Amino acid sequence: MRQTARLGRIAGIPIGVHWSVFVIMLLLVQGLASVVLPSGARGHATVVYWGVAVVVAALFLAALLAHELAHALVARHYGVRVRAITLWMLGGVSELDGEAPHPRADLLIALAGPVVSLAGAGVFAACAAAASASGAGPLAVTGLAWLAVVNVILGGFNLLPGAPLDGGRVLAAILWWVRRDRASARRTAGRAGMVLGALLIIGGLVEMLLAANLSGLWLTVLGWFVLLAARAETTDVTLRKTLAGVRVGDIMTAPAAYGYTSQSVANFVATVARHHPHRVFPVLDLDGQLVGLVSLTRLAKVPSTDRERTRLGDVTAPVDRTRVLDPAVPLTDAAPAMLAGGHRLAPVVANGRLTGIVTPGDVARATELAELGITPDRGGGDADTSGTTRW
């Protein structure tokens, strides 16, 4: 998941937030300030409720981060590299680079987050009790009690037995230990996640339709996320088994068709775009370095009267927004993101030069060939830029 804002590092792990966090935080603060806190502590000024709500919401965000940090630190203990932690609307994501070495490690990594959340609930409950006993006031007690309840819900919900929830990973770890087959265990956990997601969606719809309660909308959204993520995990397992040993260079389209930053939009459309079936093309500078990508949609926005004098570089999306692949990278590392959508084309670069391109269609074709027992191979794994088409 792409980070909208970087918060810094904890234990060397990059921490960031997705833009959706700001939306959910605003909703949380509004709900706390207008409903939860006034119902538990009457008689305070509106500004006081909003101030306390901001503090409580910030503590909740810290609890989410602690949950994900627990996963990440235990994973790193077992030799799994952690690329980053990103907080978003429905929780957090620890981006792990690799897999646990054995079922016990997988189990402990999965359990770490819920254990921290439940322990956090105990801490907040104890603080609420202490605040009540010391006469700190109902406002503090209400906020701390809310944090305790929410952390119980966070820990308990994550233990439901279905991927991508932590409970699904617990289930996969146990099945891996019993069956001695990691892939089979992950597929079962993925199917369980799809069933769980469907049940959550049905429950949310029933709540909205029969109880006329709009809170069921959140349950429906959550179920939809669980369903899609579980399906993606199941697909990922299949891809890893089917495409084992296949590299990006084996399936890429080469030579690649591309344009230059100094080329006019009219010239590029006439000499390149009209002759190739792609909707997105790499763009290079005069030194042959990849600058970014340009799409037919973006080109169509240039008025026809301006296409002769508009340079391709003026309408190119920068390379930092582009997924760039290495031909030697295993296809299993690139395939899930390509098939999940959002990546219509990925340039393949070797030694600083454009070597080819990979599209979702290339990945789908490679998968279908592998399922037929044929290893995809276009001989591009060691290709250089001599095979690149210039225009």
Side-chain angles (χ1 to χ4, degrees):
M1 179 175 293
R2 186 183 294 273
Q3 295 182 350
T4 304
R6 181 69 63 84
L7 301 181
R9 290 176 177 268
I10 297 180
I13 302 171
I15 309 296
V17 295
H18 186 257
W19 64 264
S20 58
V21 164
F22 301 109
V23 176
I24 195 64
M25 288 293 285
L26 181 61
L27 293 174
L28 275 178
V29 170
Q30 192 273 335
L32 285 164
S34 60
V35 179
V36 177
L37 295 176
S39 64
R42 299 181 183 278
H44 294 278
T46 301
V47 67
V48 174
Y49 288 130
W50 279 88
V52 174
V54 169
V55 174
V56 172
L59 289 172
F60 171 69
L61 194 64
L64 282 180
L65 178 57
H67 179 109
E68 293 304 322
L69 267 174
H71 287 307
L73 293 176
V74 175
R76 197 162 66 177
H77 172 76
Y78 285 104
V80 181
R81 179 174 170 267
V82 182
R83 292 196 298 268
I85 292 176
T86 304
L87 301 179
W88 73 300
M89 183 172 62
L90 296 179
V93 176
S94 296
E95 300 176 34
L96 306 182
D97 190 5
E99 296 183 325
H102 46 72
R104 181 172 178 271
D106 213 17
L107 177 65
L108 293 178
I109 293 170
L111 284 174
V115 167
V116 166
S117 292
L118 295 174
V123 170
F124 284 123
C127 289
S132 178
S134 64
L139 198 58
V141 174
T142 301
L144 290 167
W146 181 86
L147 286 167
V149 171
V150 168
N151 273 274
V152 168
I153 295 172
L154 177 64
F157 178 77
N158 268 283
L159 285 173
L160 292 177
L165 301 178
D166 297 330
R169 305 195 189 286
V170 169
L171 175 62
I174 294 172
L175 292 176
W176 179 13
W177 177 73
V178 172
R179 299 176 181 176
R180 307 299 182 192
D181 186 337
R182 186 203 302 259
S184 173
R186 288 186 60 193
R187 277 196 298 270
T188 300
R191 295 189 189 103
M194 287 189 280
V195 172
L196 176 62
L199 291 175
L200 290 173
I201 292 172
I202 293 171
L205 292 174
V206 168
E207 185 175 358
M208 284 190 294
L209 296 176
L210 299 185
N213 190 343
L214 286 179
S215 64
L217 178 62
W218 285 105
L219 195 61
T220 302
V221 171
L222 189 58
W224 185 250
F225 163 73
V226 170
L227 178 62
L228 292 182
R231 184 178 297 164
E233 290 213 7
T234 305
T235 301
D236 180 59
V237 174
T238 303
L239 286 173
R240 289 187 179 277
K241 181 177 181 180
T242 304
L243 300 177
V246 180
R247 298 173 300 169
V248 166
D250 297 329
I251 69 133
M252 69 182 183
T253 298
Y258 60 88
Y260 281 111
T261 53
S262 59
Q263 191 173 12
S264 72
V265 169
N267 179 265
F268 174 77
V269 170
T271 60
V272 180
R274 68 177 299 184
H275 297 295
H276 296 274
H278 308 303
R279 297 173 59 203
V280 180
F281 296 86
V283 179
L284 311 183
D285 60 20
L286 292 179
D287 293 325
Q289 300 296 310
L290 179 67
V291 174
L293 299 179
V294 68
S295 66
L296 296 182
T297 301
R298 187 178 287 248
L299 293 176
K301 293 179 180 179
V302 179
S304 57
T305 54
D306 296 337
R307 291 173 188 169
E308 284 289 351
R309 60 176 179 269
T310 302
R311 303 296 100 182
L312 204 59
D314 297 333
V315 292
T316 297
V319 70
D320 59 2
R321 302 180 190 174
T322 303
R323 182 180 178 86
V324 178
L325 302 176
D326 186 290
V329 167
L331 184 58
T332 51
D333 292 344
M338 293 295 299
L339 292 178
H343 295 286
R344 290 180 290 176
L345 179 145
V348 182
V349 175
N351 301 319
R353 298 289 177 174
L354 182 68
T355 301
I357 58 172
V358 171
T359 67
D362 293 324
V363 177
R365 176 180 178 276
T367 304
E368 291 165 1
L369 285 175
E371 289 174 346
L372 289 171
I374 301 171
T375 301
D377 186 0
R378 293 182 182 173
D382 301 312
D384 57 29
T385 55
S386 62
T388 304
T389 300
R390 292 183 176 273
W391 297 86

